[in-house]
Structure formats: structure tokens, C-alpha cells
Amino acid sequence: MVKLYDGGAYLINGTQLIPEEELSAVNTGRSTPITKEEAKKSTIAYSILEKHNTSGNMDHLKLRFDSMASHDITFVGIIQTARASGLTKFPIPYVMTNCHNSLCAVGGTINEDDHVFGLSAAKKYGGIFVPPHIAVIHQYMREMMAGCGRMILGSDSHTRYGALGTMAIGEGGGELVKQLLKDTYDVAYPGVVAIYLTGSPAPFVGPHDVALAIIGAVFKNGYVKNKIMEFVGPGVSSMDTDYRNGVDVMTTETTCLSSVWRTDEDTRQYLKLHGRESDYQELNPGETAYYDGVVHVDLSTIKPMIALPFHPSNTYEIDELNDNLGDILRTVEQEAAHILGTSKAALSLTDKMKDGKLMVQQGVIAGCAGGNYSNVMMAAHILSGQDCGNDIFNLSVYPSSQPVYMDLVKKGAISQLMAAGATVRTAFCGPCFGAGDTPSNNALSIRHTTRNFPNREGSKPGNGQISCVALMDARSIAATAANGGYLTSAENFVDDYTVPAYEFDSSSYDRRVYQGYQKAREEESLIYGPNIKDWPSMSALTDNILLRVCSRIMDPVTTTDELIPSGETSSYRSNPLGLAEFTLSRRDPEYVGRSKEVNELEKVRKSGTCPLKADQELESAFHALKEYLKQPDLKASETEIGSVIYAVKPGDGSAREQAASCQRVLGGLANIASEYATKRYRSNVMNWGMLPFLLDEDPSFDIGDFIYVPDIRTALNGDMNHIPAYVIKNEEGNPIHEIRLHIADMTPEEREIVKAGCLINYNRNKNSQL
């Protein structure tokens, strides 16, 4: 049972929930009434945010983090941006892990060059460098960096360490650059939603089952969007900390801003095991705490779950799916047909039904969600003495860190998995984002990983290949493997087995991790490979802009994987122009060509040559504008020309800043949306100097149309609620009509960043004034 409250509620002494409208009728035990504003200050989240806020105003937070983390497809760009902005050394611990391009399988030495660059940066600026295969980013941060009451910022969207009392946030690289330059993370005080847990999970229910049940209840209605999820209630203590970590990492898929859990003796023991007992403190809400919403989860009612393609919120109980197999699979096939459109690829799932059962082709247990110690131990126990079979089904297991791997070896779990027919790999995030274990064409993979977006697993519909992923817990994946690949709930296999206590051995970290914090060696040189390129120059925003619509996406949600694909693009994350060639390649393959044509017009304008002679359509558009606005002196030479994309709700999923920067280096000036799926994507848009426009009605423009926005710098200096813009249709006569754009609140710094043209320019301008 997952129940959402209609409004806010008070939590009394951590155990009694009272809906807001009923508080007056309840005796709270206080001698004087409590106000909502006072009770809001009693949440765990408030105390942590207050400690890290530098603004002196809790309504408008300016946060400084305790440490940061990036991996090897984000840290090069972040360091290059910070270096161009005046970086001299890392002011806080900055962990750089190498868990995404670990294999150097795509691009060869290009990837290893990024690793060498990262180590040289750790030496020069004083960073912490975790080599390939040693740990996935989030497991290392749990084991070595997270602590109660801390805040951590990461350039991976699944930066979540709430189960250890740490409020962690995943953002685009620009926000990490700000911290490296001793600036702040600016955000309005977020809403805080209680995730009130009661009961305890059944032995056959794993953390992914709990997480998927919550995601399924809150994602589509936006219940926790850009809010903080605060896990409270007696049910917290029914799970050990490793289990809680597995639930917590998936809070990203709800589109919340961050998460935090109350802590207890098990939290202390986890930190003590990792040599960091001093990082423990008890965190609990105050006597009377107010929450902006409540998600009440009775853990004892959760059943083994599955999230079918193409989103973690597409959830069903496994038993429910098996009982209605044909009907449910046909809905997925219909969605696949819509996603694939005119692609020559086609996905079918009903053909995998045999005697009323669903045959799966692949299983994967991996990464920050699936590769945890207790998950792999449970999978090994279920598979002990079993047989995965020698047919098409295959199972791969990736422990989340070298210390976890070492203890799995000591406990015999690795031998059990291998004897059953599973293969075991090193710590690697590839299966989660499309750089490892890409299934065969038209195959279904079940995975204990974080996402199952379209083509996230690495398939390429443009080349005629399509496969898909369903998310499941390691326990049910192991049960499916033991059943020869037929989809099976762990309820049919789990007994009274108890996972033995984890024994942490830090020797692999001690010997291989470079610990350079506060040991910056300025004389060291950064080591560049041929694929590591500087960011191209970007100009400041002009007073007037002319936008050409280069893509129009009417899907309900557009993920960052669709804006810039993961997987095969990994080798180009250090090469802005090389990577930009992949922009929208899976969603709108013509976008790059269209944007380049517009960018050429802007280059001609800036060079002093009249762009009107370079493009007849542009000349016609300006002629129409002059007549419509009755401004005969309107000049193209005084109007910046750039591209724009329209998407209904862009930016769900990954924090990768390249989803925005790739548009920018191709000449993008703006996004127009009905809403932005996540704060992090909107931040990326602004940090790369693009305008985050909103449009309340359906778009009245098409690909190829122009949109003229006059006096945009003036709008950024004042009221952004009504920004007049003019659509010039790309058809005979160039008919024009007015639309009203608007921009949600921006901080003063964000306005200046957009006006400067990007974060790099903003920082250079600021430094020049010192």
C-alpha cells in the first residue's frame, strides 16, 4: 500500500501523522500551539539546509557543499570549464571516479586519455582519483565520503546518499564548476515531503521493489518534483543501511531534488564498519514537524515489482503482469511503435510468451542500485545449486566496488553465481547507460539498474536494431535465472536465509585511490589527449534575437538520453563539437543539420557581412517583420540569430550537462517548453547561456519557422512573466502572429549568466572586474 496525502501533514514525535486540517482537533502535548512555519523548521532537511546556506535567507538558499563527485564522462568537461573560468585548486574534496568509460571499449585510447587527464588534474588541483574497475561513483561516496548532516553535489543524476543522512544532489557540470570557484548553488527553499514507512519488507522483497512501488505512485503526478523526500517512520529501522541505499538511489527517478533519511544505530554501524564512526549523528525530525505532503508506504504490503519499458514509473507487480501478460505487453508494443515512428526497427514482446509465460533473453545485476553487497548475496543464495541454462538467457553481475567484490569472494557468493552459469564482472556502470551488455535485436533484458528509457541499453533504431529493458530487483532476476529465463517472482524461491554481515576491507582503496585533497601541486601539467578539446567561444546575448525552430517534439516527456544519447557518445564527452554531432540523433536526426545552417547565418552576421544576402528566407522574414511591427529600421545585423527546440517537457533523467551544451555549441539560444522535467536540466540550459522559455499553449510554430524576441535583455532585467514574441511562418507571404513567452523565476546570477552567453563568460567577466 502506497498512499499519497492530498495536502500537508504534521508528524508528532516521529510516529503520529496528522493531516493539516485536523491538527486543531488533536492534542499535540504542547502548552502553546505550533505554527506551520515553525513546524517546517523541525524537518531533518531544514536543519541540513540551514547549516549549508550562506545567504542568511532560508527562502532563497545559497548552498555550499561539503564535497563533490564526478565520473569519467563528466569530469573532463567540468575541469575544462572551471579552468577557463580561473580555477587554481579544488577548495573542497572532489572525487573523480572512472566507472563509465572503464572498459575503453568505445573509442579506444580516447577514453584512457580521459583517465590520464583526470589523474593529472587530481595532482594539479588536489583531487581524489578512483581508477577504473575500483568502484562505481555512488558506492565509493557511500563508503568513503557520505556522513550524517552533510551535503554532496555530483555530476551524475543518481547522486543520492540520503540513507546515510547526507542530502545529495545530482546536477549538470556547471553547478559543480560554481562550487570549484567558491560560488554557491542557488535555489528557492524546496518543499519537503515525508516518505512515512511502516511495517517491514517480506524476505522476497528487495530495495528495487520498494523503490519502484514509490516511483510508480509519485512520478506521473509530479508529487515530489523538485522537492526533498524525507524518509521517516518506524519502517526505516526494518531495513539495514545497505538495503536503504538501494531504495534511496532510485529517488532520482521520482524527479525529486534530493532525499534524506532519519538515522539510527544501523547507520552508525555502517559508518563504523567503514572506519568513519565519527561521521555519525542521530537525525530525526523534531517534536512536531510539518511536511508539504506525505507518501505513506506500508512495507509489508509491497510485492515483487517490475517496471516495463520505457520508464521506471511503468510499474506492475510481477504477479499482476503474469496474470495479464498479453494485454499488458501489447500496451508496451504500442508505445514502442510510437517511439520508433518511421524507424525501420520494430519491437515485439508478445512473441516471447510461451505457454502463458514470458521468456526473457538477458538479466543484469549492476551498479549503484543492483551491485550492492546484500543484493548480490541474495541473488547468489537463490542461484546456489541452480542452473541458468544454456539457451538464449544469460545473466551478468557487476559488484559495486572492489571491497564488495572481495567480500563476495570470501563469502563464496561469486563461486555460487559462476557455478549457476552467471558471469561476474568488475565495478562498471555501462549496463545502466548503454555501454555494456547491449541486448540482441528485439530482446528483452531484466535489470537491477536505475533506468529503462528508450535505447538506454544501447540499441540503435536508426540502424534497424531495437531492444528494451524492464527493471526488477536482484532477487526476482535471480529467481528468473533459476527458472531458465521465464519471468519469475522471488516469492517462489526465497526461504529464511539471512545475509551474513558485510566485512569491509579497504586495502584496494588504500593501494589504488589517489588521495590528493589539500595536496595540490600547481607545478603539475594537465595531460591532454587528442580528443580533449576546449570549449568553443560563445557570444553574449544581444538585445534582440531571432530563433529558428530546428526541432519540435510533442511527446509528453523528452529524456536527456533523447537530447544527447548515452552509450556510443561516451568517447566524445571531452570533445564538445564532436559530441554535438549526436544531438537529438535518436529523436530528430535532421536537427544537427538544421542547427548548423542557422549557426552559419549567425557567423556571417558577426563577421560583418549582411546575412540577408546569405539566406533568402531570412531576408523575407525580416521584410515581413518590418512591415508587421512598423519598424522600417529593424536590422538583421543588430539581431542575434540562433536555433531553438520546442519540447513539451524536456530533461527527464540524467544530469548530463551535454544535453544543453551540445545545443549551445551548435548555435542554440533557447529552449521552449510547457514545463521542464527537472531543475537540473533547466540549470544546464541557463549555465550554457540559453533562455529557458515557457509557453502555456500548444505551439503555433513548426520546424523552419522563425521566432523574433525583441528586447530580451530588458526582459531579463525585469518582469519575465509576459515576453512578447513574433512567429514568422516559413510559407509564402511569411504571415506573422504574436505569442506570449515567459520564464520562471531566475536568480540574479542566472540572469547574468544567460546575458553573458554562458557560465564561462560570466566568470571571466567577473574575474576581469576584480
Side-chain angles (χ1 to χ4, degrees):
M1 183 273 294
V2 179
K3 175 186 175 183
L4 309 185
Y5 278 37
D6 291 334
Y10 292 85
L11 180 63
I12 312 299
N13 297 322
T15 59
Q16 184 184 9
L17 276 172
I18 304 175
E20 181 177 355
E21 65 273 13
E22 298 176 15
L23 181 68
S24 59
V26 177
N27 180 9
T28 64
R30 291 173 57 95
S31 57
T32 57
I34 189 169
T35 67
K36 181 192 295 188
E37 292 306 311
E38 183 183 358
K40 282 185 174 183
K41 298 178 182 179
S42 291
T43 63
I44 301 169
Y46 186 93
S47 65
I48 296 175
L49 290 170
E50 183 179 41
K51 175 183 173 184
H52 291 82
N53 181 35
T54 65
S55 72
N57 180 351
M58 287 298 288
D59 291 328
H60 301 284
L61 303 173
K62 288 181 170 292
L63 301 172
R64 286 210 171 99
F65 291 79
D66 298 298
S67 59
M68 300 197 308
S70 294
H71 51 64
D72 50 345
I73 55 177
T74 57
F75 64 61
V76 176
I78 290 167
I79 292 167
Q80 287 285 73
T81 303
R83 186 180 65 83
S85 303
L87 174 70
T88 56
K89 65 179 179 180
F90 297 154
I92 57 177
Y94 183 22
V95 176
M96 293 175 281
T97 65
N98 295 267
C99 53
H100 279 58
N101 271 342
S102 312
L103 301 181
C104 299
V106 183
T109 59
I110 290 174
N111 295 342
E112 186 59 24
D113 288 346
D114 289 354
H115 300 162
V116 172
F117 174 91
L119 180 58
S120 72
K123 293 176 179 178
K124 182 175 182 64
Y125 298 121
I128 300 167
F129 183 82
V130 183
H133 307 287
I134 297 298
V136 301
I137 178 173
H138 303 309
Q139 184 65 12
Y140 183 86
M141 296 304 288
R142 293 165 183 156
E143 292 176 341
M144 304 305 294
M145 302 299 293
C148 301
R150 292 182 181 173
M151 291 195 74
I152 293 176
L153 184 66
S155 58
D156 183 274
S157 58
H158 290 100
T159 305
R160 291 286 189 270
Y161 317 120
L164 294 165
T166 297
M167 279 183 56
I169 299 175
E171 275 282 359
E175 295 302 320
L176 278 79
V177 170
K178 292 176 185 177
Q179 297 290 312
L180 291 178
L181 300 176
K182 300 182 180 180
D183 288 332
T184 56
Y185 179 83
D186 301 344
V187 64
Y189 187 84
V192 183
V193 174
I195 313 300
Y196 188 76
L197 305 178
T198 59
S200 60
F204 48 81
V205 169
H208 229 37
D209 298 316
V210 175
L212 292 178
I214 295 172
I215 293 165
V218 304
F219 172 78
K220 292 174 183 175
N221 56 24
Y223 194 80
V224 298
K225 181 180 176 181
N226 292 332
K227 296 180 173 66
I228 294 170
M229 299 172 71
E230 185 160 306
F231 288 76
V232 293
V236 169
S237 295
S238 72
M239 302 171 282
D240 65 28
T241 302
D242 197 51
Y243 193 109
R244 298 175 207 172
N245 284 333
V247 177
D248 184 66
V249 72
M250 290 297 291
T251 60
T252 296
E253 303 311 321
T254 68
T255 68
C256 73
L257 179 69
S258 186
S259 62
V260 67
W261 295 53
R262 72 172 184 86
T263 60
D264 57 14
E265 185 59 27
D266 196 82
T267 321
R268 181 200 298 273
Q269 291 304 316
Y270 182 95
L271 291 168
K272 181 179 180 180
L273 175 68
H274 292 85
R276 300 191 294 116
E277 187 175 7
S278 61
D279 292 336
Y280 173 77
Q281 60 177 291
E282 183 179 341
L283 299 177
N284 275 303
E287 179 183 341
T288 303
Y290 177 81
Y291 293 95
D292 299 285
V294 176
V295 181
H296 187 174
V297 182
D298 182 351
L299 295 168
S300 64
T301 65
I302 303 296
K303 301 278 283 183
M305 302 290 294
I306 184 169
L308 290 173
F310 295 93
H311 198 275
S313 64
N314 191 17
T315 54
Y316 298 88
E317 292 180 356
I318 292 176
D319 289 344
E320 176 190 7
L321 172 62
N322 282 332
D323 288 343
N324 303 275
L325 202 51
D327 290 342
I328 294 174
L329 293 182
R330 277 186 282 273
T331 65
V332 178
E333 291 175 337
Q334 291 167 4
E335 185 176 358
H338 171 73
I339 291 169
L340 293 167
T342 59
S343 168
K344 54 188 175 182
L347 178 71
S348 59
L349 295 177
T350 49
D351 63 345
K352 296 167 181 56
M353 294 171 55
K354 298 181 180 180
D355 299 323
K357 297 184 291 184
L358 178 62
M359 180 65 188
V360 177
Q361 286 68 57
Q362 183 193 65
V364 177
I365 300 169
C368 59
N372 294 5
Y373 169 78
S374 58
N375 290 334
V376 179
M377 286 295 293
M378 282 296 296
H381 173 72
I382 291 170
L383 281 168
S384 179
Q386 301 290 337
D387 183 355
C388 294
N390 60 2
D391 209 324
I392 191 169
F393 178 83
N394 62 90
L395 174 64
S396 303
V397 180
Y398 295 75
S400 57
S401 71
Q402 198 83 325
V404 168
Y405 202 148
M406 290 168 66
D407 202 35
L408 292 169
V409 170
K410 293 176 185 175
K411 299 289 199 317
I414 299 300
S415 295
Q416 288 176 322
L417 290 166
M418 289 181 170
T423 58
V424 183
R425 325 285 176 82
T426 56
F428 177 43
C429 298
C432 190
F433 71 97
D437 287 314
T438 302
S440 61
N441 182 53
N442 200 40
L444 172 64
S445 176
I446 52 173
R447 301 188 175 190
H448 192 154
T449 55
T450 54
R451 290 199 173 116
N452 61 338
F453 296 164
N455 317 126
R456 174 91 178 182
E457 78 295 340
S459 62
K460 298 180 181 180
N463 294 342
Q465 185 207 23
I466 179 68
S467 53
C468 62
V469 166
L471 301 180
M472 287 168 52
D473 190 84
R475 292 150 186 77
S476 290
I477 293 174
T480 300
N483 200 20
Y486 287 102
L487 188 71
T488 304
S489 164
E491 188 170 1
N492 298 308
F493 276 82
V494 167
D495 51 25
D496 58 358
Y497 171 76
T498 301
V499 174
Y502 175 49
E503 299 172 76
F504 175 71
D505 182 344
S506 67
S507 57
S508 58
Y509 288 166
D510 298 339
R511 290 165 174 79
R512 288 295 297 139
V513 176
Y514 177 82
Q515 299 285 350
Y517 178 56
Q518 296 184 326
K519 302 173 186 176
R521 291 148 53 176
E522 295 181 18
E523 73 280 2
E524 289 280 342
S525 297
L526 294 174
I527 300 176
Y528 288 84
N531 192 54
I532 298 176
K533 306 292 185 182
D534 291 334
W535 291 103
S537 61
M538 299 170 202
S539 59
L541 184 70
T542 58
D543 289 331
N544 308 317
I545 58 174
L546 184 70
L547 307 171
R548 185 151 213 179
V549 181
C550 288
S551 189
R552 185 176 182 269
I553 305 173
M554 300 305 295
D555 294 344
V557 178
T558 303
T559 69
T560 46
D561 282 335
E562 292 173 295
L563 293 166
I564 184 68
S566 55
E568 81 266 26
T569 66
S570 298
S571 298
Y572 297 94
R573 297 296 174 85
S574 309
N575 183 340
L577 290 174
L579 181 63
E581 295 290 332
F582 294 89
T583 312
L584 283 173
S585 60
R586 289 181 182 166
R587 189 61 190 81
D588 187 356
E590 305 302 317
Y591 166 80
V592 171
R594 298 187 196 114
S595 295
K596 285 183 175 180
E597 290 176 2
V598 178
N599 202 23
E600 285 303 311
L601 292 177
E602 173 61 9
K603 289 178 181 177
V604 172
R605 181 192 74 85
K606 288 163 61 177
S607 70
T609 305
C610 180
L612 304 185
K613 296 179 181 178
D615 188 273
Q616 186 63 40
E617 291 177 337
L618 190 60
E619 183 176 11
S620 299
F622 265 93
H623 177 74
L625 268 175
K626 290 176 185 180
E627 290 192 349
Y628 183 85
L629 297 175
K630 296 180 173 53
Q631 295 180 14
D633 296 331
L634 185 65
K635 296 178 181 178
S637 59
E638 297 174 356
T639 302
E640 186 174 9
I641 305 165
S643 56
V644 62
I645 69 167
Y646 175 85
V648 175
K649 188 178 179 180
D652 185 28
S654 171
R656 70 176 72 102
E657 63 180 306
Q658 294 92 344
S661 67
C662 284
Q663 297 172 47
R664 184 68 173 120
V665 301
L666 290 170
L669 289 181
N671 278 202
I672 302 176
S674 174
E675 67 173 301
Y676 291 89
T678 56
K679 176 200 174 296
R680 54 184 174 268
Y681 176 68
R682 184 173 182 268
S683 294
N684 288 336
V685 169
M686 293 184 291
N687 282 330
W688 283 105
M690 294 192 293
L691 292 149
F693 286 128
L694 292 166
L695 179 65
D696 290 336
E697 63 268 15
D698 289 340
S700 58
F701 46 80
D702 297 299
I703 292 173
D705 292 344
F706 287 107
I707 303 174
Y708 177 67
V709 188
D711 302 317
I712 185 59
R713 289 180 70 92
T714 301
L716 284 173
N717 288 332
D719 181 12
M720 300 184 296
N721 290 324
H722 302 284
I723 301 173
Y726 304 90
V727 174
I728 307 103
K729 298 296 289 182
N730 183 28
E731 56 190 62
E732 186 175 351
N734 296 112
I736 295 177
H737 64 272
E738 184 176 347
I739 59 174
R740 288 280 177 172
L741 302 173
H742 60 101
I743 299 176
D745 190 37
M746 295 168 65
T747 67
E749 291 82 4
E750 288 168 341
R751 296 177 192 231
E752 293 303 316
I753 289 167
V754 172
K755 287 191 287 185
C758 66
L759 180 62
I760 294 173
N761 293 354
Y762 168 78
N763 286 319
R764 284 175 176 166
N765 295 343
K766 189 168 61 172
N767 292 338
S768 68
Q769 297 169 7
L770 296 178

